[in-house]
Amino acid sequence: MMTSEQTGRPLVRGPGAVRERRDSREGADSCSGCPVVRVCLPGVVPAMQIPQVESMVVHQRTIPAGKALFHAGEPFAWLYAVRSGSLKSTSTDIDGREHILNFHLPGEVLGFAAIYYGRHAASAIALTASTVCYLSFTEIQHLGRAFPALSLELLRIASRSALYTGRLTGDHNATVRIAAFLLSLSGRFRAQGKPSSEFDLFMSREDIANHLRLAPETVSRVFSQLRAQGVISVRRKAMRLLDEERLQGLAGPMLPYG
Amino acid sequence: MMTSEQTGRPLVRGPGAVRERRDSREGADSCSGCPVVRVCLPGVVPAMQIPQVESMVVHQRTIPAGKALFHAGEPFAWLYAVRSGSLKSTSTDIDGREHILNFHLPGEVLGFAAIYYGRHAASAIALTASTVCYLSFTEIQHLGRAFPALSLELLRIASRSALYTGRLTGDHNATVRIAAFLLSLSGRFRAQGKPSSEFDLFMSREDIANHLRLAPETVSRVFSQLRAQGVISVRRKAMRLLDEERLQGLAGPMLPYG
DNA sequence: CGCAAAGTTGAGATAGGTCAACTATTGTGG
DNA sequence: CCACAATAGTTGACCTATCTCAACTTTGCG
């Protein structure tokens, strides 16, 4: 529905793109005036050529909380760079049970998994109102010729998400998984330049549980237990990491990346 | 050790590459005489330009069973395309406990996860003696300019592995995971043009268990149980899928890809 | 204010892990 | 070629972490 416009014509503009493009060229308002390339794919394109790329690849749009950026099954035409807000990608099985594959924060790119089959395998749902850059994959391919750094950066990004998923797959018990999850979030907030030991859980307990393959009750219990131990302080969605040292310990000896 | 030669100099040939390169140019023996590009990355490069690419990118080498293709922590310089045999990638935590992230069969490409940090996060160990093509990442980047299809294909491949990992992350109970694993193997054998309902488990029960986050005993039990139900027939490593319909049912309603 | 949704906490049920004994297979040296 | 040992796999009995069900509390919203 909302994303139906994206499907057919590969070289076409993204929905809602026109306004943003004009803004970004002319520096109209606040920092939506900054080149979108710089915001969405920082460091990828040499400063001098930004305008050229800017005018071709990137559009953006705002997704209200709870709405889908794209649905599983839709043809793949765009990659999406989160600019603000937060999303989850969920793969829904035929029974209708969803599984949350990942959460997405600003600076992260969605849609890679769709390249292979040319269709989205997962849906992306905004958890909070989110601004997302649309990157036409067709144009990305063309541009890749002129700016090899672009293709490379995309590979790097794809690589990063592979790493994350691999890491999640690993550990076993509830406490370990939750500790690791909190640290992962923390690191991703830090990557955004936001406070990393005091942040908002932008998803529900149920979503956390689903993502970590736990029951929501277990998430609650482990949170309570960690709170009792003075490792975290959590009230509703307000999470504070009080003893990251110990949290690291609980998360188990993990590889030093992620 | 074995891979130390790869580390330093990006544009350098892969170990053991010289012989193979000569072979592939001059069509010396059997089908190792075929252009390596065609074998390792079928369909990526237009037929006419194969020789050009061939002479630059690809080298190959044989890894004996049990030996490492690369180790976690090593600098990243190559992608690897499996030509024959089988490997596992394992990430070892500080305790020394390993976790098997994936198994790799001919036609599959390893090493993507290393692009992001420029170092391998996982080790790749040959389960059976394996022949592997080395693809210099530096040269890949250069060639990407001339052959955009190359970069694209790499993205597609990275995408595919993201899909697989995502899928593995999903399901919960032992039977489901094992059924899904068997079907995944089956599909990958089919992709090789090998029999897909009768194949050799090239890894130990322990490896399967590790990969699926189960106890080896559980794998045994589920195998026995599936055998009792007439769904599979398994003796030692010889696996036969007797009722793929039902196996699909057990694997749970999954998305139709993988 | 009151209802719906989200989260917490408790008690009992269970899938799968752990420990252990046993069997089958492979490899080794006499 | 045959013990014999080492390794891999199977099976059983028990135990524990987590799930399930359920009551209750808190928060948010019309």
PDB file of all heavy atoms in Angstrom, chain D residues 15-27:
ATOM      1  P    DC D  15      17.522 -35.498  39.999  1.00  0.00           P
ATOM      2  OP1  DC D  15      18.314 -35.539  41.244  1.00  0.00           O
ATOM      3  OP2  DC D  15      16.034 -35.573  40.023  1.00  0.00           O
ATOM      4  O5'  DC D  15      17.911 -34.162  39.211  1.00  0.00           O
ATOM      5  C5'  DC D  15      19.163 -34.089  38.535  1.00  0.00           C
ATOM      6  C4'  DC D  15      19.289 -32.717  37.906  1.00  0.00           C
ATOM      7  O4'  DC D  15      18.640 -32.724  36.611  1.00  0.00           O
ATOM      8  C3'  DC D  15      18.624 -31.586  38.694  1.00  0.00           C
ATOM      9  O3'  DC D  15      19.427 -30.433  38.506  1.00  0.00           O
ATOM     10  C2'  DC D  15      17.253 -31.456  38.024  1.00  0.00           C
ATOM     11  C1'  DC D  15      17.611 -31.756  36.573  1.00  0.00           C
ATOM     12  N1   DC D  15      16.533 -32.343  35.720  1.00  0.00           N
ATOM     13  C2   DC D  15      16.446 -31.946  34.385  1.00  0.00           C
ATOM     14  O2   DC D  15      17.250 -31.106  33.958  1.00  0.00           O
ATOM     15  N3   DC D  15      15.496 -32.493  33.597  1.00  0.00           N
ATOM     16  C4   DC D  15      14.648 -33.404  34.097  1.00  0.00           C
ATOM     17  N4   DC D  15      13.733 -33.912  33.279  1.00  0.00           N
ATOM     18  C5   DC D  15      14.722 -33.825  35.460  1.00  0.00           C
ATOM     19  C6   DC D  15      15.669 -33.274  36.229  1.00  0.00           C
ATOM     20  P    DT D  16      19.252 -29.151  39.476  1.00  0.00           P
ATOM     21  OP1  DT D  16      20.475 -29.106  40.303  1.00  0.00           O
ATOM     22  OP2  DT D  16      17.910 -29.201  40.084  1.00  0.00           O
ATOM     23  O5'  DT D  16      19.303 -27.917  38.488  1.00  0.00           O
ATOM     24  C5'  DT D  16      20.016 -28.019  37.258  1.00  0.00           C
ATOM     25  C4'  DT D  16      19.396 -27.089  36.235  1.00  0.00           C
ATOM     26  O4'  DT D  16      18.346 -27.764  35.515  1.00  0.00           O
ATOM     27  C3'  DT D  16      18.759 -25.835  36.815  1.00  0.00           C
ATOM     28  O3'  DT D  16      19.009 -24.799  35.908  1.00  0.00           O
ATOM     29  C2'  DT D  16      17.282 -26.182  36.839  1.00  0.00           C
ATOM     30  C1'  DT D  16      17.193 -26.954  35.533  1.00  0.00           C
ATOM     31  N1   DT D  16      16.033 -27.860  35.358  1.00  0.00           N
ATOM     32  C2   DT D  16      15.534 -28.046  34.090  1.00  0.00           C
ATOM     33  O2   DT D  16      15.983 -27.515  33.112  1.00  0.00           O
ATOM     34  N3   DT D  16      14.470 -28.914  34.025  1.00  0.00           N
ATOM     35  C4   DT D  16      13.864 -29.572  35.071  1.00  0.00           C
ATOM     36  O4   DT D  16      12.918 -30.314  34.896  1.00  0.00           O
ATOM     37  C5   DT D  16      14.444 -29.322  36.378  1.00  0.00           C
ATOM     38  C7   DT D  16      13.878 -29.983  37.587  1.00  0.00           C
ATOM     39  C6   DT D  16      15.486 -28.490  36.463  1.00  0.00           C
ATOM     40  P    DA D  17      19.332 -23.325  36.353  1.00  0.00           P
ATOM     41  OP1  DA D  17      20.770 -23.230  36.623  1.00  0.00           O
ATOM     42  OP2  DA D  17      18.330 -22.930  37.372  1.00  0.00           O
ATOM     43  O5'  DA D  17      19.018 -22.530  35.005  1.00  0.00           O
ATOM     44  C5'  DA D  17      19.510 -23.036  33.779  1.00  0.00           C
ATOM     45  C4'  DA D  17      18.549 -22.729  32.662  1.00  0.00           C
ATOM     46  O4'  DA D  17      17.394 -23.608  32.744  1.00  0.00           O
ATOM     47  C3'  DA D  17      18.006 -21.313  32.663  1.00  0.00           C
ATOM     48  O3'  DA D  17      18.026 -20.848  31.329  1.00  0.00           O
ATOM     49  C2'  DA D  17      16.585 -21.457  33.229  1.00  0.00           C
ATOM     50  C1'  DA D  17      16.197 -22.860  32.805  1.00  0.00           C
ATOM     51  N9   DA D  17      15.334 -23.584  33.744  1.00  0.00           N
ATOM     52  C8   DA D  17      15.407 -23.571  35.105  1.00  0.00           C
ATOM     53  N7   DA D  17      14.519 -24.346  35.693  1.00  0.00           N
ATOM     54  C5   DA D  17      13.831 -24.909  34.635  1.00  0.00           C
ATOM     55  C6   DA D  17      12.766 -25.836  34.583  1.00  0.00           C
ATOM     56  N6   DA D  17      12.196 -26.366  35.668  1.00  0.00           N
ATOM     57  N1   DA D  17      12.307 -26.199  33.377  1.00  0.00           N
ATOM     58  C2   DA D  17      12.872 -25.676  32.285  1.00  0.00           C
ATOM     59  N3   DA D  17      13.885 -24.806  32.197  1.00  0.00           N
ATOM     60  C4   DA D  17      14.313 -24.459  33.426  1.00  0.00           C
ATOM     61  P    DT D  18      17.698 -19.374  30.962  1.00  0.00           P
ATOM     62  OP1  DT D  18      18.596 -19.011  29.855  1.00  0.00           O
ATOM     63  OP2  DT D  18      17.673 -18.573  32.210  1.00  0.00           O
ATOM     64  O5'  DT D  18      16.228 -19.504  30.391  1.00  0.00           O
ATOM     65  C5'  DT D  18      15.994 -20.396  29.312  1.00  0.00           C
ATOM     66  C4'  DT D  18      14.520 -20.698  29.216  1.00  0.00           C
ATOM     67  O4'  DT D  18      14.073 -21.434  30.364  1.00  0.00           O
ATOM     68  C3'  DT D  18      13.614 -19.466  29.110  1.00  0.00           C
ATOM     69  O3'  DT D  18      12.955 -19.533  27.870  1.00  0.00           O
ATOM     70  C2'  DT D  18      12.677 -19.597  30.310  1.00  0.00           C
ATOM     71  C1'  DT D  18      12.726 -21.097  30.575  1.00  0.00           C
ATOM     72  N1   DT D  18      12.359 -21.555  31.951  1.00  0.00           N
ATOM     73  C2   DT D  18      11.412 -22.540  32.101  1.00  0.00           C
ATOM     74  O2   DT D  18      10.844 -23.070  31.168  1.00  0.00           O
ATOM     75  N3   DT D  18      11.152 -22.895  33.398  1.00  0.00           N
ATOM     76  C4   DT D  18      11.735 -22.364  34.534  1.00  0.00           C
ATOM     77  O4   DT D  18      11.414 -22.763  35.654  1.00  0.00           O
ATOM     78  C5   DT D  18      12.725 -21.332  34.309  1.00  0.00           C
ATOM     79  C7   DT D  18      13.418 -20.683  35.466  1.00  0.00           C
ATOM     80  C6   DT D  18      12.988 -20.978  33.044  1.00  0.00           C
ATOM     81  P    DC D  19      11.919 -18.479  27.391  1.00  0.00           P
ATOM     82  OP1  DC D  19      12.282 -18.201  25.996  1.00  0.00           O
ATOM     83  OP2  DC D  19      11.794 -17.395  28.383  1.00  0.00           O
ATOM     84  O5'  DC D  19      10.553 -19.329  27.398  1.00  0.00           O
ATOM     85  C5'  DC D  19      10.554 -20.615  26.786  1.00  0.00           C
ATOM     86  C4'  DC D  19       9.221 -21.301  27.057  1.00  0.00           C
ATOM     87  O4'  DC D  19       9.140 -21.663  28.447  1.00  0.00           O
ATOM     88  C3'  DC D  19       7.991 -20.436  26.767  1.00  0.00           C
ATOM     89  O3'  DC D  19       7.017 -21.209  26.062  1.00  0.00           O
ATOM     90  C2'  DC D  19       7.512 -20.013  28.159  1.00  0.00           C
ATOM     91  C1'  DC D  19       7.925 -21.200  29.007  1.00  0.00           C
ATOM     92  N1   DC D  19       8.207 -20.872  30.442  1.00  0.00           N
ATOM     93  C2   DC D  19       7.574 -21.594  31.460  1.00  0.00           C
ATOM     94  O2   DC D  19       6.769 -22.479  31.157  1.00  0.00           O
ATOM     95  N3   DC D  19       7.860 -21.305  32.759  1.00  0.00           N
ATOM     96  C4   DC D  19       8.735 -20.344  33.045  1.00  0.00           C
ATOM     97  N4   DC D  19       8.994 -20.104  34.332  1.00  0.00           N
ATOM     98  C5   DC D  19       9.398 -19.589  32.023  1.00  0.00           C
ATOM     99  C6   DC D  19       9.098 -19.881  30.745  1.00  0.00           C
ATOM    100  P    DT D  20       5.693 -20.505  25.534  1.00  0.00           P
ATOM    101  OP1  DT D  20       5.447 -21.088  24.201  1.00  0.00           O
ATOM    102  OP2  DT D  20       5.846 -19.049  25.714  1.00  0.00           O
ATOM    103  O5'  DT D  20       4.534 -20.958  26.518  1.00  0.00           O
ATOM    104  C5'  DT D  20       4.575 -22.234  27.136  1.00  0.00           C
ATOM    105  C4'  DT D  20       3.426 -22.354  28.143  1.00  0.00           C
ATOM    106  O4'  DT D  20       3.908 -22.023  29.469  1.00  0.00           O
ATOM    107  C3'  DT D  20       2.233 -21.442  27.877  1.00  0.00           C
ATOM    108  O3'  DT D  20       1.046 -22.210  28.085  1.00  0.00           O
ATOM    109  C2'  DT D  20       2.377 -20.333  28.909  1.00  0.00           C
ATOM    110  C1'  DT D  20       3.052 -21.075  30.065  1.00  0.00           C
ATOM    111  N1   DT D  20       3.919 -20.241  30.949  1.00  0.00           N
ATOM    112  C2   DT D  20       3.893 -20.469  32.308  1.00  0.00           C
ATOM    113  O2   DT D  20       3.197 -21.311  32.825  1.00  0.00           O
ATOM    114  N3   DT D  20       4.736 -19.668  33.030  1.00  0.00           N
ATOM    115  C4   DT D  20       5.574 -18.677  32.545  1.00  0.00           C
ATOM    116  O4   DT D  20       6.288 -18.026  33.290  1.00  0.00           O
ATOM    117  C5   DT D  20       5.543 -18.491  31.105  1.00  0.00           C
ATOM    118  C7   DT D  20       6.410 -17.444  30.484  1.00  0.00           C
ATOM    119  C6   DT D  20       4.730 -19.272  30.391  1.00  0.00           C
ATOM    120  P    DC D  21      -0.397 -21.603  27.692  1.00  0.00           P
ATOM    121  OP1  DC D  21      -1.148 -22.707  27.064  1.00  0.00           O
ATOM    122  OP2  DC D  21      -0.195 -20.325  26.991  1.00  0.00           O
ATOM    123  O5'  DC D  21      -1.049 -21.299  29.118  1.00  0.00           O
ATOM    124  C5'  DC D  21      -0.940 -22.271  30.153  1.00  0.00           C
ATOM    125  C4'  DC D  21      -1.393 -21.674  31.472  1.00  0.00           C
ATOM    126  O4'  DC D  21      -0.313 -20.951  32.080  1.00  0.00           O
ATOM    127  C3'  DC D  21      -2.566 -20.691  31.377  1.00  0.00           C
ATOM    128  O3'  DC D  21      -3.481 -20.995  32.412  1.00  0.00           O
ATOM    129  C2'  DC D  21      -1.895 -19.340  31.542  1.00  0.00           C
ATOM    130  C1'  DC D  21      -0.782 -19.695  32.527  1.00  0.00           C
ATOM    131  N1   DC D  21       0.367 -18.763  32.564  1.00  0.00           N
ATOM    132  C2   DC D  21       1.017 -18.527  33.786  1.00  0.00           C
ATOM    133  O2   DC D  21       0.614 -19.100  34.803  1.00  0.00           O
ATOM    134  N3   DC D  21       2.065 -17.672  33.813  1.00  0.00           N
ATOM    135  C4   DC D  21       2.464 -17.071  32.695  1.00  0.00           C
ATOM    136  N4   DC D  21       3.509 -16.244  32.782  1.00  0.00           N
ATOM    137  C5   DC D  21       1.823 -17.300  31.441  1.00  0.00           C
ATOM    138  C6   DC D  21       0.786 -18.153  31.421  1.00  0.00           C
ATOM    139  P    DA D  22      -4.868 -20.222  32.535  1.00  0.00           P
ATOM    140  OP1  DA D  22      -5.860 -21.240  32.928  1.00  0.00           O
ATOM    141  OP2  DA D  22      -5.066 -19.390  31.326  1.00  0.00           O
ATOM    142  O5'  DA D  22      -4.606 -19.241  33.761  1.00  0.00           O
ATOM    143  C5'  DA D  22      -3.912 -19.733  34.900  1.00  0.00           C
ATOM    144  C4'  DA D  22      -3.693 -18.582  35.859  1.00  0.00           C
ATOM    145  O4'  DA D  22      -2.411 -17.943  35.578  1.00  0.00           O
ATOM    146  C3'  DA D  22      -4.746 -17.464  35.760  1.00  0.00           C
ATOM    147  O3'  DA D  22      -5.095 -17.033  37.059  1.00  0.00           O
ATOM    148  C2'  DA D  22      -4.015 -16.386  34.993  1.00  0.00           C
ATOM    149  C1'  DA D  22      -2.609 -16.553  35.574  1.00  0.00           C
ATOM    150  N9   DA D  22      -1.550 -15.928  34.803  1.00  0.00           N
ATOM    151  C8   DA D  22      -1.443 -15.838  33.445  1.00  0.00           C
ATOM    152  N7   DA D  22      -0.380 -15.185  33.035  1.00  0.00           N
ATOM    153  C5   DA D  22       0.253 -14.830  34.214  1.00  0.00           C
ATOM    154  C6   DA D  22       1.441 -14.121  34.472  1.00  0.00           C
ATOM    155  N6   DA D  22       2.218 -13.630  33.510  1.00  0.00           N
ATOM    156  N1   DA D  22       1.787 -13.939  35.761  1.00  0.00           N
ATOM    157  C2   DA D  22       0.998 -14.432  36.718  1.00  0.00           C
ATOM    158  N3   DA D  22      -0.136 -15.126  36.593  1.00  0.00           N
ATOM    159  C4   DA D  22      -0.452 -15.276  35.307  1.00  0.00           C
ATOM    160  P    DA D  23      -6.452 -16.228  37.299  1.00  0.00           P
ATOM    161  OP1  DA D  23      -7.452 -17.173  37.824  1.00  0.00           O
ATOM    162  OP2  DA D  23      -6.729 -15.427  36.095  1.00  0.00           O
ATOM    163  O5'  DA D  23      -6.017 -15.232  38.467  1.00  0.00           O
ATOM    164  C5'  DA D  23      -5.196 -15.715  39.528  1.00  0.00           C
ATOM    165  C4'  DA D  23      -4.334 -14.573  40.002  1.00  0.00           C
ATOM    166  O4'  DA D  23      -3.352 -14.266  38.982  1.00  0.00           O
ATOM    167  C3'  DA D  23      -5.104 -13.269  40.261  1.00  0.00           C
ATOM    168  O3'  DA D  23      -4.797 -12.782  41.558  1.00  0.00           O
ATOM    169  C2'  DA D  23      -4.631 -12.330  39.153  1.00  0.00           C
ATOM    170  C1'  DA D  23      -3.242 -12.867  38.858  1.00  0.00           C
ATOM    171  N9   DA D  23      -2.762 -12.577  37.505  1.00  0.00           N
ATOM    172  C8   DA D  23      -3.409 -12.806  36.323  1.00  0.00           C
ATOM    173  N7   DA D  23      -2.728 -12.420  35.264  1.00  0.00           N
ATOM    174  C5   DA D  23      -1.549 -11.906  35.793  1.00  0.00           C
ATOM    175  C6   DA D  23      -0.413 -11.340  35.198  1.00  0.00           C
ATOM    176  N6   DA D  23      -0.272 -11.198  33.882  1.00  0.00           N
ATOM    177  N1   DA D  23       0.580 -10.933  36.015  1.00  0.00           N
ATOM    178  C2   DA D  23       0.433 -11.080  37.326  1.00  0.00           C
ATOM    179  N3   DA D  23      -0.595 -11.607  38.016  1.00  0.00           N
ATOM    180  C4   DA D  23      -1.559 -12.001  37.177  1.00  0.00           C
ATOM    181  P    DC D  24      -5.576 -11.553  42.153  1.00  0.00           P
ATOM    182  OP1  DC D  24      -5.707 -11.812  43.598  1.00  0.00           O
ATOM    183  OP2  DC D  24      -6.760 -11.266  41.319  1.00  0.00           O
ATOM    184  O5'  DC D  24      -4.539 -10.357  41.971  1.00  0.00           O
ATOM    185  C5'  DC D  24      -3.173 -10.532  42.370  1.00  0.00           C
ATOM    186  C4'  DC D  24      -2.353  -9.430  41.764  1.00  0.00           C
ATOM    187  O4'  DC D  24      -2.183  -9.678  40.355  1.00  0.00           O
ATOM    188  C3'  DC D  24      -2.990  -8.052  41.880  1.00  0.00           C
ATOM    189  O3'  DC D  24      -2.192  -7.216  42.698  1.00  0.00           O
ATOM    190  C2'  DC D  24      -3.069  -7.549  40.443  1.00  0.00           C
ATOM    191  C1'  DC D  24      -2.035  -8.422  39.737  1.00  0.00           C
ATOM    192  N1   DC D  24      -2.292  -8.563  38.277  1.00  0.00           N
ATOM    193  C2   DC D  24      -1.300  -8.126  37.395  1.00  0.00           C
ATOM    194  O2   DC D  24      -0.242  -7.648  37.841  1.00  0.00           O
ATOM    195  N3   DC D  24      -1.519  -8.227  36.053  1.00  0.00           N
ATOM    196  C4   DC D  24      -2.667  -8.749  35.602  1.00  0.00           C
ATOM    197  N4   DC D  24      -2.817  -8.827  34.284  1.00  0.00           N
ATOM    198  C5   DC D  24      -3.695  -9.202  36.487  1.00  0.00           C
ATOM    199  C6   DC D  24      -3.459  -9.096  37.805  1.00  0.00           C
ATOM    200  P    DT D  25      -2.577  -5.659  42.860  1.00  0.00           P
ATOM    201  OP1  DT D  25      -2.237  -5.268  44.228  1.00  0.00           O
ATOM    202  OP2  DT D  25      -3.932  -5.420  42.292  1.00  0.00           O
ATOM    203  O5'  DT D  25      -1.516  -4.976  41.887  1.00  0.00           O
ATOM    204  C5'  DT D  25      -0.139  -5.324  41.979  1.00  0.00           C
ATOM    205  C4'  DT D  25       0.633  -4.368  41.107  1.00  0.00           C
ATOM    206  O4'  DT D  25       0.393  -4.700  39.718  1.00  0.00           O
ATOM    207  C3'  DT D  25       0.257  -2.913  41.289  1.00  0.00           C
ATOM    208  O3'  DT D  25       1.451  -2.157  41.330  1.00  0.00           O
ATOM    209  C2'  DT D  25      -0.603  -2.606  40.071  1.00  0.00           C
ATOM    210  C1'  DT D  25      -0.007  -3.540  39.020  1.00  0.00           C
ATOM    211  N1   DT D  25      -0.914  -4.002  37.946  1.00  0.00           N
ATOM    212  C2   DT D  25      -0.538  -3.828  36.647  1.00  0.00           C
ATOM    213  O2   DT D  25       0.509  -3.291  36.327  1.00  0.00           O
ATOM    214  N3   DT D  25      -1.428  -4.312  35.717  1.00  0.00           N
ATOM    215  C4   DT D  25      -2.626  -4.932  35.966  1.00  0.00           C
ATOM    216  O4   DT D  25      -3.342  -5.322  35.040  1.00  0.00           O
ATOM    217  C5   DT D  25      -2.976  -5.082  37.351  1.00  0.00           C
ATOM    218  C7   DT D  25      -4.263  -5.745  37.745  1.00  0.00           C
ATOM    219  C6   DT D  25      -2.109  -4.620  38.270  1.00  0.00           C
ATOM    220  P    DT D  26       1.436  -0.618  41.657  1.00  0.00           P
ATOM    221  OP1  DT D  26       2.584  -0.330  42.546  1.00  0.00           O
ATOM    222  OP2  DT D  26       0.051  -0.242  42.027  1.00  0.00           O
ATOM    223  O5'  DT D  26       1.752   0.049  40.246  1.00  0.00           O
ATOM    224  C5'  DT D  26       2.897  -0.369  39.524  1.00  0.00           C
ATOM    225  C4'  DT D  26       2.759   0.098  38.103  1.00  0.00           C
ATOM    226  O4'  DT D  26       1.646  -0.570  37.491  1.00  0.00           O
ATOM    227  C3'  DT D  26       2.492   1.597  37.965  1.00  0.00           C
ATOM    228  O3'  DT D  26       3.640   2.171  37.383  1.00  0.00           O
ATOM    229  C2'  DT D  26       1.226   1.682  37.101  1.00  0.00           C
ATOM    230  C1'  DT D  26       1.149   0.293  36.481  1.00  0.00           C
ATOM    231  N1   DT D  26      -0.190  -0.229  36.094  1.00  0.00           N
ATOM    232  C2   DT D  26      -0.460  -0.453  34.783  1.00  0.00           C
ATOM    233  O2   DT D  26       0.331  -0.229  33.886  1.00  0.00           O
ATOM    234  N3   DT D  26      -1.715  -0.968  34.525  1.00  0.00           N
ATOM    235  C4   DT D  26      -2.693  -1.267  35.463  1.00  0.00           C
ATOM    236  O4   DT D  26      -3.774  -1.730  35.110  1.00  0.00           O
ATOM    237  C5   DT D  26      -2.337  -1.008  36.839  1.00  0.00           C
ATOM    238  C7   DT D  26      -3.320  -1.303  37.917  1.00  0.00           C
ATOM    239  C6   DT D  26      -1.118  -0.510  37.091  1.00  0.00           C
ATOM    240  P    DT D  27       3.726   3.711  37.068  1.00  0.00           P
ATOM    241  OP1  DT D  27       5.157   4.100  37.020  1.00  0.00           O
ATOM    242  OP2  DT D  27       2.771   4.416  37.947  1.00  0.00           O
ATOM    243  O5'  DT D  27       3.174   3.759  35.583  1.00  0.00           O
ATOM    244  C5'  DT D  27       3.817   2.979  34.587  1.00  0.00           C
ATOM    245  C4'  DT D  27       3.120   3.208  33.268  1.00  0.00           C
ATOM    246  O4'  DT D  27       1.841   2.547  33.294  1.00  0.00           O
ATOM    247  C3'  DT D  27       2.859   4.680  32.960  1.00  0.00           C
ATOM    248  O3'  DT D  27       3.508   4.984  31.733  1.00  0.00           O
ATOM    249  C2'  DT D  27       1.339   4.799  32.925  1.00  0.00           C
ATOM    250  C1'  DT D  27       0.900   3.371  32.637  1.00  0.00           C
ATOM    251  N1   DT D  27      -0.425   2.960  33.177  1.00  0.00           N
ATOM    252  C2   DT D  27      -1.341   2.390  32.323  1.00  0.00           C
ATOM    253  O2   DT D  27      -1.129   2.215  31.148  1.00  0.00           O
ATOM    254  N3   DT D  27      -2.535   2.023  32.923  1.00  0.00           N
ATOM    255  C4   DT D  27      -2.881   2.175  34.253  1.00  0.00           C
ATOM    256  O4   DT D  27      -3.976   1.809  34.659  1.00  0.00           O
ATOM    257  C5   DT D  27      -1.876   2.774  35.080  1.00  0.00           C
ATOM    258  C7   DT D  27      -2.155   2.982  36.534  1.00  0.00           C
ATOM    259  C6   DT D  27      -0.709   3.140  34.520  1.00  0.00           C
TER     260       DT D  27
END
